[in-house]
Amino acid sequence: MKKKLFLILIISLFVNFSFGQNTIDSLKQILQEENIDTSKINLLIKIGNEYNSDDSVIFYYNKALSFSKEIKNQKFELNVLMYIANFHKETNNNETAIEFYEKANLLGEKIDNKKKRDKKNISSANLSIGFIYEKQGEYEKALKYYTKSLDISRELADTNKIAQGLNNFGLIYKRLGNYDKALEYYQESLLLCEKANIKRGTSFCLNNIGLIHKKQKNLDKALEYFEKSLEINISLKDTNSIGGANISIGKVYKEQKKYKKALKHFTKALNLFEKVNTERGMLYCYVNIADIYKKMNNFNLALQYYEKSTPFIEKFNDKKAKVENLKGLAEVYCGLSDSTQNLSQKNANYKLALEYALESLSLAESMNALPDMNDAYRIISKIYSGLNNFELAYQYSQKFISTKDSLFNTEKTKAIEEMEAIYQTEKKEQEIEKQDLLIEKKDAEAKKRNIQLIAFIIGFLLMIVLAIISFRNYQRKKKDNILIQSKNTELEQANEEIIAQRDMLQEQKEKIEVIHQQITDSIKYAKRIQQAAMPTEVSLNTLLGDSFVLFKPLHVVSGDFFWAKKVNKYIVFTAADCTGHGVPGAFVSMLGISLLNEIVQRNDITKANEVLEALRNQIKISLKQSSDFGDSKDGMDMALCVVNTETNELDFAGANNPLILIRNNELTEYKATRNPVAIYVKEKQFESTIIKLEDNDVIYLFSDGYADQPGGEKDRKFMKKRLKQTLLDIHKEKMLNQKRILTDTLEDWKGSTRQIDDILVIGVKFHI
């Protein structure tokens, strides 16, 4: 047996120096001498690998599968299933590939062993299924299988596969338009690759992070990442990866409108892919080169390259590339329409463009690919505008604006601009209220004038009657009649003026009602912006574990806010109370959220007191605060915690707001520094307190809204003392029950009394 295996090895090595058919014949000769055992299965796989014909490959693979079942060797059966599935994947028979990968999964679950090789096969099967679904645009299914693969890789402590899995998650979230989530996975993957010196993985991560920066228009930063990726690929002499990096660099130059530089990099990438016959890479080059010629208004060349990409798109069933191709064709025909004066040709090109654009939208919607949907809406709006169908053009422009807002990354300057706009709308609302009062006043004055006019008329008529009775002279009567006629004319003129004023006031009232509705819609939209900036209770539970949030804004938008973020091994979360409530308070809260993201996530500051110090400095800069009299003193009170998930230590720092800890039925209040996060007369350094967490510890953070709410029999404040006792009474309840009890207690206390401030309470139970 050993001699035969040695002979197989010699023949396998000899394949590099002889014709393929001689190798196959030699392997078949040994096959005839073998019994049905694992050596024969290996030989069948080797013979299948030597064939170029699909039918021959599958024939020998199926024989190997049949022999594996015959000798009841499930490990070999699993291995052969993976060979068959991989072959179908490489030949783009995706449905058949998925079928065999699933068979491998089922068999892998049945095998009762702890060998890493079998688990790696199962992980690879799930990874490959996820890859196929990703290319088909079925992102939810792709995430499902990527998750299974990643879980097994973590169990095996396979750093390479873990990094690859995290990178795949990032790709999915990028295509879904969730750039923050994508960047989080890319960065985690990059750290693993750099730590384990996985150069190829490091290159992929750098390239993908660069793509996120490109999407966010940080083009210089994107170019920096792409060039680092290219440098690694050159050192690895990886032709395909060098081509991919050149595509990425070309995309940056395309965004910068440096089309000649972009075309140079795309052409270089195409030459590399053609050299090694990488068809998928050639596809991406064709699409990008076509896009460059389109932007340079060379529509004929653009069409040629789009047509070159079409067969590859169909071959790989690459829905993402197909969407790009359809969008590009739509824009080319739009450009052809704009460049011709022939009305018939113009309309024909627009209609052809519309067909491509609508098909791209349908495909993007089926994949839930928000960035591609956004592009499609923009193109369709432009087409309908060219066809003079302004109603549909407006509808699609609104969809474009709406999806663009969904892709929006809430940054400091944009948050300030948005909330400033809302603040201005509230000022307009106040002006409308003044206009309403003015209209009411004018209505009252008009009624008063009418009464005076009627009284004048009655008095005047009485005077005429008395004149007639007093003066019986005919001439006198004639003069009186002339006078009456004159007064009637004046009366008609006055009446016409009153009617004109009434119509003008009615028109003003209708305009004001329209403006009022627009402002109301703007404030509701502001609420959605604020909600999007803060974490949902579901995401907060995912991050903090067993927890609740009681959040009751006084108005549509709130001056209180809560925020949480995980950075490496630290979980940072806070409950904050900004100056004021309503729109002004929400303005400050959006600024606070934006600055916290920058301080914690970008600047990597994870010490509680340092976060507050950095936040105070940024608040003073952003709001131009100084010690001068009359300057803005806006800011916030807050309690901020940083949990070290490795040491189970909690780092607390407070600005006027404390932290409550309940342990073993005893309540401890950790005092805050008596300073706001803003300019202050007696400014102090924020102090930090380290708490070693124990199992079943419960902590609470809150603003002053709950304790300050008036109610009860004597309409007095609830008070912090009563709140602390309530928390002590309920702390053993489940967290959701605690939220319900606090809500019911507040409503019972408040009764018919109106709420006077925003209310925020956060509770977290730790399970060590």
Side-chain angles (χ1 to χ4, degrees):
M1 177 63 69
K2 289 182 180 179
K3 289 181 179 179
K4 289 177 181 177
L5 287 174
F6 179 74
L7 183 57
I8 292 169
L9 179 61
I10 294 299
I11 292 172
S12 298
L13 292 172
F14 185 70
V15 74
N16 294 316
F17 308 100
S18 63
F19 294 101
Q21 187 59 48
N22 291 338
T23 304
I24 293 170
D25 292 342
S26 300
L27 290 171
K28 284 182 179 179
Q29 185 178 352
I30 299 172
L31 182 65
Q32 291 174 357
E33 300 172 7
E34 284 289 350
N35 295 319
I36 300 175
D37 58 10
T38 55
S39 299
K40 191 164 189 173
I41 295 169
N42 282 327
L43 268 172
L44 288 166
I45 292 172
K46 286 181 180 292
I47 294 170
N49 290 341
E50 292 298 325
Y51 274 103
N52 293 321
S53 165
D54 292 359
D55 292 339
S56 298
V57 173
I58 292 300
F59 173 79
Y60 282 99
Y61 282 170
N62 282 335
K63 269 199 168 187
L65 182 62
S66 176
F67 287 148
S68 300
K69 291 178 179 178
E70 191 173 335
I71 65 174
K72 296 180 181 180
N73 190 320
Q74 291 182 323
K75 295 175 186 177
F76 267 83
E77 184 181 346
L78 173 60
N79 197 36
V80 177
L81 285 171
M82 288 297 296
Y83 269 103
I84 296 172
N86 288 335
F87 174 78
H88 285 299
K89 177 188 165 196
E90 289 168 6
T91 53
N92 296 306
N93 298 319
N94 292 329
E95 297 302 322
T96 308
I98 290 173
E99 178 187 342
F100 278 94
Y101 282 131
E102 291 286 19
K103 286 180 179 179
N105 272 337
L106 289 172
L107 183 61
E109 290 172 2
K110 291 178 183 178
I111 297 175
D112 184 19
N113 66 78
K114 297 182 180 179
K115 286 191 176 180
K116 286 189 176 182
R117 181 179 177 183
D118 297 323
K119 289 189 176 181
K120 280 186 176 181
N121 273 333
I122 300 169
S123 175
S124 296
N126 283 294
L127 186 67
S128 297
I129 295 172
F131 177 80
I132 292 170
Y133 281 130
E134 179 192 335
K135 292 303 174 187
Q136 292 178 342
E138 298 187 48
Y139 297 136
E140 288 187 9
K141 288 183 179 179
L143 282 174
K144 172 186 171 183
Y145 285 96
Y146 281 156
T147 301
K148 289 181 179 179
S149 174
L150 183 59
D151 288 344
I152 297 171
S153 298
R154 290 188 191 280
E155 184 183 341
L156 296 173
D158 188 336
T159 303
N160 202 333
K161 288 291 185 183
I162 294 170
Q164 185 180 353
L166 292 168
N167 196 57
N168 289 333
F169 272 83
L171 286 169
I172 295 292
Y173 282 112
K174 180 178 79 72
R175 290 181 177 174
L176 290 171
N178 191 339
Y179 300 137
D180 288 344
K181 197 76 174 174
L183 191 59
E184 184 180 329
Y185 281 110
Y186 287 152
Q187 288 173 337
E188 189 177 349
S189 178
L190 179 60
L191 287 172
L192 281 175
C193 289
E194 288 178 336
K195 186 176 180 180
N197 196 28
I198 305 171
K199 288 189 176 181
R200 195 178 303 279
T202 302
S203 169
F204 288 153
C205 293
L206 289 169
N207 186 75
N208 290 332
I209 292 171
L211 290 172
I212 294 295
H213 284 296
K214 187 182 79 68
K215 287 286 185 183
Q216 295 181 330
K217 306 301 181 185
N218 299 326
L219 299 181
D220 291 337
K221 197 73 176 174
L223 194 59
E224 180 185 333
Y225 276 99
F226 291 149
E227 288 175 344
K228 286 180 181 178
S229 174
L230 178 59
E231 186 180 342
I232 294 173
N233 294 333
I234 291 172
S235 72
L236 293 172
K237 298 180 180 179
D238 185 338
T239 303
N240 284 320
S241 296
I242 294 169
N246 274 286
I247 289 178
S248 298
I249 293 170
K251 286 181 177 179
V252 173
Y253 286 128
K254 181 170 68 174
E255 287 287 330
Q256 294 176 334
K257 298 184 179 179
K258 298 176 181 178
Y259 298 135
K260 289 184 178 179
K261 281 190 174 182
L263 189 59
K264 175 183 175 183
H265 282 279
F266 291 144
T267 305
K268 186 175 182 180
L270 179 59
N271 292 335
L272 289 168
F273 289 134
E274 287 176 340
K275 183 178 178 181
V276 293
N277 197 30
T278 304
E279 293 180 337
R280 193 179 292 276
M282 291 158 63
L283 160 63
Y284 297 147
C285 289
Y286 290 146
V287 172
N288 280 288
I289 292 172
D291 195 37
I292 289 294
Y293 283 123
K294 177 192 69 181
K295 291 181 182 297
M296 295 171 70
N297 294 328
N298 192 335
F299 300 121
N300 290 328
L301 271 177
L303 283 174
Q304 288 180 28
Y305 277 95
Y306 280 130
E307 287 169 1
K308 283 184 178 183
S309 70
T310 302
F312 292 113
I313 290 171
E314 299 303 326
K315 178 177 181 179
F316 296 121
N317 192 23
D318 192 327
K319 292 185 179 179
K320 171 65 178 171
K322 188 172 184 179
V323 169
E324 293 296 330
N325 183 279
L326 291 168
K327 287 189 300 183
L329 286 168
E331 290 191 298
V332 166
Y333 282 104
C334 269
L336 289 170
S337 295
D338 294 338
S339 63
T340 181
Q341 298 299 320
N342 185 309
L343 185 60
S344 174
Q345 187 62 44
K346 182 185 287 287
N347 288 336
N349 284 333
Y350 271 133
K351 288 178 182 178
L352 194 55
L354 184 61
E355 288 180 19
Y356 285 120
L358 289 173
E359 188 179 353
S360 76
L361 175 60
S362 174
L363 190 57
E365 287 175 337
S366 72
M367 299 188 297
N368 196 25
L370 199 58
D372 294 318
M373 290 162 60
N374 179 253
D375 285 341
Y377 290 141
R378 172 182 56 78
I379 297 166
I380 295 169
S381 174
K382 180 181 177 183
I383 294 169
Y384 277 125
S385 179
L387 291 170
N388 294 325
N389 191 337
F390 298 112
E391 182 179 351
L392 284 175
Y394 174 76
Q395 289 178 16
Y396 279 96
S397 70
Q398 291 298 106
K399 290 181 179 180
F400 166 68
I401 292 167
S402 175
T403 50
K404 188 175 182 182
D405 289 340
S406 299
L407 289 167
F408 186 71
N409 186 13
T410 309
E411 294 295 331
K412 177 175 66 176
T413 54
K414 200 66 179 177
I416 292 173
E417 290 171 7
E418 289 285 353
M419 297 311 296
E420 175 66 20
I422 297 164
Y423 180 65
Q424 291 299 330
T425 58
E426 189 172 81
K427 285 176 67 178
K428 288 181 182 178
E429 189 175 30
Q430 292 172 353
E431 291 172 5
I432 289 169
E433 290 175 358
K434 290 179 182 178
Q435 287 286 346
D436 288 340
L437 291 173
L438 183 60
I439 291 169
E440 291 175 4
K441 184 178 179 181
K442 286 185 177 181
D443 285 341
E445 288 175 353
K447 288 178 182 178
K448 185 179 179 181
R449 284 197 298 271
N450 284 338
I451 293 169
Q452 289 174 342
L453 185 59
I454 292 168
F456 172 78
I457 294 168
I458 293 171
F460 183 73
L461 290 173
L462 286 172
M463 286 174 64
I464 293 173
V465 172
L466 289 172
I468 293 170
I469 294 172
S470 301
F471 304 97
R472 296 186 181 274
N473 187 285
Y474 174 75
Q475 291 295 330
R476 192 74 172 173
K477 286 183 179 180
K478 187 177 180 179
K479 289 181 181 179
D480 289 341
N481 286 334
I482 293 171
L483 184 60
I484 290 170
Q485 186 178 0
S486 174
K487 294 298 180 182
N488 281 336
T489 302
E490 290 179 7
L491 179 62
E492 288 175 1
Q493 290 175 349
N495 191 47
E496 287 175 359
E497 288 179 5
I498 292 168
I499 292 171
Q501 287 181 350
R502 184 197 63 192
D503 292 343
M504 182 181 69
L505 290 172
Q506 180 63 32
E507 185 180 351
Q508 287 179 346
K509 182 182 178 184
E510 290 173 357
K511 288 181 179 179
I512 288 167
E513 286 175 349
V514 171
I515 294 170
H516 183 272
Q517 183 60 44
Q518 289 174 344
I519 290 169
T520 302
D521 292 343
S522 294
I523 293 173
K524 288 179 180 176
Y525 183 62
K527 179 183 179 181
R528 293 202 298 273
I529 293 173
Q530 189 177 42
Q531 287 176 339
M534 290 191 290
T536 63
E537 192 159 356
V538 173
S539 64
L540 204 64
N541 272 321
T542 303
L543 199 59
L544 300 177
D546 201 2
S547 61
F548 73 82
V549 177
L550 173 57
F551 182 50
K552 294 174 70 67
L554 176 59
H555 299 299
V556 178
V557 289
S558 172
D560 286 5
F561 72 88
F562 56 95
W563 174 90
K565 185 70 67 174
K566 184 173 183 182
V567 181
N568 300 324
K569 63 182 179 180
Y570 299 103
I571 300 173
V572 186
F573 59 98
T574 186
D577 182 0
C578 300
T579 303
H581 40 72
V583 172
F587 179 89
V588 181
S589 76
M590 290 297 293
L591 178 60
I593 291 170
S594 179
L595 291 173
L596 282 169
N597 281 327
E598 184 175 322
I599 291 164
V600 173
Q601 193 167 2
R602 293 189 180 181
N603 299 338
D604 202 21
I605 298 175
T606 52
K607 289 187 179 180
N609 61 330
E610 291 180 6
V611 172
L612 293 187
E613 288 292 344
L615 182 58
R616 175 161 60 186
N617 290 336
Q618 288 297 318
I619 287 286
K620 290 194 287 186
I621 292 169
S622 298
L623 299 182
K624 298 183 175 63
Q625 294 181 343
S626 68
S627 58
D628 294 341
F629 177 77
D631 278 2
S632 166
K633 300 297 187 293
D634 295 321
M636 60 194 77
D637 296 339
M638 63 196 303
L640 184 137
C641 298
V642 180
V643 176
N644 186 323
T645 57
E646 293 182 356
T647 64
N648 293 321
E649 290 180 338
L650 184 146
D651 182 3
F652 162 72
N656 288 328
N657 285 359
L659 174 141
I660 299 297
L661 167 68
I662 301 179
R663 176 185 291 169
N664 299 327
N665 296 323
E666 290 186 5
L667 185 147
T668 305
E669 178 179 352
Y670 290 90
K671 300 291 185 181
T673 304
R674 302 304 297 172
N675 258 220
V677 181
I679 191 77
Y680 194 62
V681 178
K682 296 181 180 179
E683 203 166 281
K684 299 178 182 178
Q685 293 289 322
F686 290 109
E687 297 179 357
S688 208
T689 302
I690 304 297
I691 304 168
K692 181 67 177 178
L693 295 172
E694 297 182 6
D695 193 31
N696 291 322
D697 279 356
V698 187
I699 67 164
Y700 299 94
L701 312 177
F702 45 81
S703 65
D704 58 4
Y706 199 107
D708 287 349
Q709 176 61 43
E713 294 180 359
K714 297 182 180 180
D715 199 28
R716 293 180 177 175
K717 292 183 178 180
F718 192 83
M719 302 302 289
K720 189 166 80 172
K721 182 179 179 182
R722 185 180 281 107
L723 175 59
K724 288 162 65 176
Q725 185 58 48
T726 303
L727 295 175
L728 185 60
D729 292 341
I730 68 172
H731 80 280
K732 290 185 178 179
E733 296 283 344
K734 292 182 178 179
M735 300 309 281
L736 286 178
N737 287 343
Q738 291 188 38
K739 178 180 178 180
R740 179 182 54 77
I741 293 168
L742 285 171
T743 302
D744 293 345
T745 302
L746 180 66
E747 291 302 318
D748 291 344
W749 176 261
K750 183 163 68 73
S752 59
T753 306
R754 70 178 183 85
Q755 185 175 330
I756 66 167
D757 196 1
D758 300 315
I759 293 172
L760 173 62
V761 181
I762 298 177
V764 183
K765 178 178 280 189
F766 293 95
H767 300 283
I768 308 302

